């Protein structure tokens, strides 16, 4: 089952990356499929927890540098074929049948997609229709690399916490944070692809999500969100003279971080009450 989980994790990430480098309707379809595969991933986690199995989020390197979309779609389909053979390790027949059925449809659909040229790795560092100064371009490049990893990291951390929690109040907040980080990751990933600098986030060390002190994690998380706000504000200021539209987008992200801080503060108060009255 650990192998099944790893392969599902890799399949989700590769499908998401294919969405970043795609355009138009293909991007929408790939995003929908990546969401379905991520749900498979969480269902498999819940199954493993119920079986008393431990696991982590280690995975292999995912090569995505291609010049045509069809190449990565073929790679995704090979992963699907391998996973469909391995999924029998899961003894929950209903879950197995659901995942296999989904994978069959996804594979059939991907096989019909065209292999359009990909420009996500040409290092152009230009955004469509926006001319940025060298300073703003450098600031945006650094921000996208750092924040795309951070958002991936947060998705996995909050997902791990949610799977291992039975508390409805906390799980509601964890799910909001997962959804928000998915939106941010997609936004940043699309920008990276347009700028020709797309890359797969590095593997997360297990110490970051196998958390022993949840209280300290939430306190640290609040400070990290505040730091993220500052980064968004600095980037907005850096690009403002070149693009009001881009500056407005990063202000939009900045203001979203305010609510994230509020949610984490609520989670901290709730968790401290639980541990105090335990």
């Amino acid at each position: 089952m650990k192998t099944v989980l790893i392969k599902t994790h890799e399949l989700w990430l590769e499908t998401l990356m294919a969405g970043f480098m795609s355009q138009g309707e293909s991007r929408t379809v790939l995003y929908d499929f990546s969401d379905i595969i991520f749900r498979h991933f969480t269902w498999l986690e819940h199954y493993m927890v119920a079986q008393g199995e431990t696991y982590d989020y280690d995975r292999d390197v995912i090569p995505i540098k291609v010049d045509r979309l069809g190449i990565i779609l073929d790679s995704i389909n090979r992963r699907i074929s391998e996973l469909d053979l391995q999924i029998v390790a899961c003894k929950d027949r209903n879950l197995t049948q659901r995942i296999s059925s989904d994978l069959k449809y996804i594979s059939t659909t991907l096989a019909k997609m065209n292999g359009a040229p990909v420009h996500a790795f040409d290092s152009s560092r230009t955004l469509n229709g926006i001319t940025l100064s060298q300073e703003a371009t450098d600031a945006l490049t650094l921000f996208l690399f750092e924040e795309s990893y951070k958002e991936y990291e947060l998705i996995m951390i909050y997902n791990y916490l949610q799977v291992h929690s039975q508390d409805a109040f906390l799980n509601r907040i964890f799910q909001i944070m997962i959804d928000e980080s998915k939106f941010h990751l997609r936004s940043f990933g699309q920008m990276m692809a347009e700028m020709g600098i797309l890359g797969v986030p590095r593997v997360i060390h297990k110490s970051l999500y196998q958390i022993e002190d949840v209280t300290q994690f939430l306190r640290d998380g609040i400070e990290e969100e505040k730091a993220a706000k500052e980064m968004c504000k600095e980037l907005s200021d850096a690009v403002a003279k070149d693009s009001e539209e881009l500056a407005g987008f990063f202000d939009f992200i900045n203001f979203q971080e305010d609510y994230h801080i509020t949610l984490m503060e609520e989670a901290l108060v709730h968790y401290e009450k639980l541990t105090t009255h335990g």
Side-chain angles (χ1 to χ4, degrees):
M1 280 303 302
K2 290 181 181 179
T3 299
V4 171
L5 193 69
I6 290 170
K7 296 306 177 185
T8 304
H9 186 174
E10 293 169 352
L11 178 61
W12 163 62
L13 258 185
E14 188 169 30
T15 305
L16 184 62
M17 293 292 131
F20 294 156
M21 64 181 75
S22 184
Q23 298 290 331
E25 184 179 351
S26 294
R27 173 175 283 173
T28 302
V29 171
L30 287 163
Y31 282 167
D32 286 344
F33 286 164
S34 72
D35 283 341
I36 290 171
I37 296 165
F38 189 81
R39 288 200 292 275
H40 293 172
F41 182 71
T42 61
W43 295 341
L44 290 167
E45 285 182 277
H46 280 285
Y47 170 80
M48 292 179 71
V49 169
Q51 298 297 311
E53 294 189 48
T54 59
Y55 64 89
D56 57 45
Y57 289 151
D58 287 348
R59 56 173 170 81
D60 290 335
V61 173
I62 303 172
I64 61 167
K65 194 170 184 179
V66 298
D67 57 9
R68 299 192 67 82
L69 186 63
I71 298 173
I72 196 166
L73 297 182
D74 288 344
S75 175
I76 291 170
N77 265 337
R78 286 193 295 273
R79 287 187 187 276
I80 288 175
S81 296
E82 294 172 1
L83 182 57
D84 200 32
L85 293 174
Q86 296 166 332
I87 196 66
V88 294
C90 177
K91 303 307 179 184
D92 183 333
R93 295 280 75 96
N94 291 324
L95 178 56
T96 301
Q97 289 170 9
R98 165 59 195 269
I99 292 176
S100 293
S101 175
D102 284 353
L103 293 178
K104 181 178 180 180
Y105 178 77
I106 291 171
S107 180
T108 301
T109 303
L110 295 185
K112 296 176 183 177
M113 284 187 179
N114 64 53
V118 169
H119 303 287
F121 310 100
D122 62 13
S123 302
S124 66
R125 295 214 301 159
T126 58
L127 279 172
N128 293 340
I130 300 175
T131 302
L132 296 175
S133 67
Q134 186 65 47
E135 178 187 2
T137 298
D138 291 344
L140 179 57
T141 300
L142 179 61
F143 176 90
L144 291 175
F145 273 111
E146 290 184 351
E147 291 302 294
S148 62
Y149 169 72
K150 189 204 98 171
E151 299 299 348
Y152 167 68
E153 177 185 283
L154 290 176
I155 290 168
M156 304 312 295
I157 291 172
Y158 284 115
N159 182 69
Y160 192 90
L161 288 172
Q162 186 185 61
V163 170
H164 290 82
S165 170
Q166 299 296 320
D167 187 284
F169 184 91
L170 291 176
N171 280 346
R172 178 186 68 86
I173 292 176
F174 294 156
Q175 186 60 54
I176 293 171
M177 299 299 283
I178 291 167
D179 292 341
E180 293 281 274
S181 287
K182 281 185 176 181
F183 170 72
H184 290 180
L185 178 57
R186 287 185 182 184
S187 299
F188 301 154
Q190 286 175 198
M191 286 186 179
M192 293 177 79
E194 289 178 17
M195 294 177 71
I197 56 172
L198 183 62
V200 181
R202 62 187 180 274
V203 176
I204 303 170
H205 193 274
K206 64 184 66 178
S207 63
L208 293 175
Y209 54 85
Q210 293 181 351
I211 298 164
E212 295 182 3
D213 189 342
V214 176
T215 299
Q216 190 59 49
F217 162 75
L218 292 170
R219 288 174 179 159
D220 291 343
I222 290 168
E223 294 307 311
E224 287 177 9
E225 292 292 336
K226 291 178 180 177
K229 276 180 57 63
E230 289 302 313
M231 287 188 67
C232 283
K233 182 63 171 63
E234 290 173 5
L235 187 56
S236 175
D237 292 342
V239 302
K241 60 180 178 293
D242 298 323
S243 172
E244 290 185 5
E245 179 183 354
L246 197 55
F249 172 75
F250 287 110
D251 285 339
F252 162 67
I253 297 294
N254 177 24
F255 294 138
Q256 289 188 342
E257 304 290 357
D258 286 331
Y259 190 55
H260 296 173
I261 292 169
T262 298
L263 288 172
M264 296 183 74
E265 288 173 342
E266 290 178 3
L268 178 59
V269 170
H270 179 80
Y271 190 79
E272 286 180 330
K273 285 181 180 177
L274 286 179
T275 54
T276 299
H277 302 294

